[in-house]
Amino acid sequence: AQSVSQHNHHVILSEAASLELGCNYSYGGTVNLFWYVQYPGQHLQLLLKYFSGDPLVKGIKGFEAEFIKSKFSFNLRKPSVQWSDTAEYFCAVSPYSSASKIIFGSGTRLSIRP
Amino acid sequence: EAGVTQFPSHSVIEKGQTVTLRCDPISGHDNLYWYRRVMGKEIKFLLHFVKESKQDESGMPNNRFLAERTGGTYSTLKVQPAELEDSGVYFCASSQGLAGVYEQYFGPGTRLTVT
């Protein structure tokens, strides 16, 4: 079955620290890849997405993610986090063969110490 | 432009009762999706409407769940009778096209607690 695995359940960092959240997926075919974010009290919103082309994708608020096909990974990075990045982050895939649905990971809660 | 709205924001019901959740998608979005997040677990796909037709309902857990989208506008998700394991946050999302091509916009969710 298709699945998405996020390596960390809860990450705590200080402001200005670098961030990398791991994500691996299990699916043998072509996929679209996403990172969603849910800030406290807000809706889920799209942070960035990968469909094709350059495997290094840039999103909003200084986030980027790199698709490594051979590793089935799509890790999220930010060089210097801010307190306002405190949120829950979800990695997700949408298989081309079943493009109606998005399959989410279990989420990583990021807490930033001011 | 108004986003996806859901009603109610919270619902607390007893086991065996019926609850109906409502989702209003972004105007003009033909695609409407329901997802559910049980506490501490991943957000799981329930079903997908294209206009008023069910395109994919492979994620519906059992026949206690009934989703409708009459007229291709808003959608309802009814749980009857509710069980304890139905507790969680129910999200609705809408998009102009299929998930792989167009962004899905999510609503704030309905938190359902079954006691």
Side-chain angles (χ1 to χ4, degrees), chain B residues 26-114:
Chain B
I26 293 172
S27 177
H29 282 191
D30 288 338
N31 295 274
L32 187 148
Y33 308 82
W34 283 99
Y35 294 84
R36 175 174 76 170
R37 188 182 193 195
V38 172
M39 179 157 334
K41 303 242 175 132
E42 68 273 20
I43 300 168
K44 281 198 170 178
F45 167 84
L46 296 178
L47 88 159
H48 167 213
F49 283 100
V50 177
K51 297 185 180 179
E52 67 274 9
S53 300
K54 291 176 186 173
Q55 181 77 13
D56 180 354
E57 50 184 329
S58 61
M60 294 287 264
N62 52 60
N63 60 10
R64 295 185 294 102
F65 289 75
L66 175 64
E68 295 180 324
R69 193 183 182 196
T70 307
T73 54
Y74 71 91
S75 173
T76 57
L77 180 65
K78 181 190 286 189
V79 185
Q80 179 182 31
E83 297 289 345
L84 298 178
E85 64 265 25
D86 300 332
S87 295
V89 180
Y90 290 77
F91 293 101
C92 176
S94 71
S95 74
Q96 290 180 300
L98 291 178
V101 179
Y102 294 92
E103 178 178 350
Q104 289 188 17
Y105 294 87
F106 282 78
T110 293
R111 182 174 296 279
L112 174 64
T113 303
V114 183

Side-chain angles (χ1 to χ4, degrees), chain A residues 24-103:
Chain A
N24 288 88
Y25 64 93
S26 64
Y27 183 72
T30 304
V31 293
N32 298 311
L33 297 157
F34 310 86
W35 276 95
Y36 280 83
V37 61
Q38 187 170 25
Y39 297 102
Q42 295 188 28
H43 303 193
L44 264 171
Q45 58 184 280
L46 185 66
L47 201 55
L48 50 78
K49 61 187 177 188
Y50 171 81
F51 288 165
S52 63
D54 188 345
L56 186 61
V57 180
K58 296 201 183 295
I60 61 172
K61 305 188 179 186
F63 285 92
E64 64 178 31
E66 185 176 13
F67 170 49
I68 303 179
K69 190 174 180 180
S70 61
K71 295 185 178 180
F72 296 90
S73 70
F74 191 55
N75 292 354
L76 180 71
R77 299 195 292 250
K78 185 171 183 178
S80 176
V81 295
Q82 301 172 307
W83 180 80
S84 58
D85 294 325
T86 296
E88 190 161 19
Y89 293 80
F90 297 89
C91 182
V93 304
S94 177
Y96 258 72
S97 64
S98 180
S100 64
K101 67 177 75 169
I102 292 178
I103 300 165

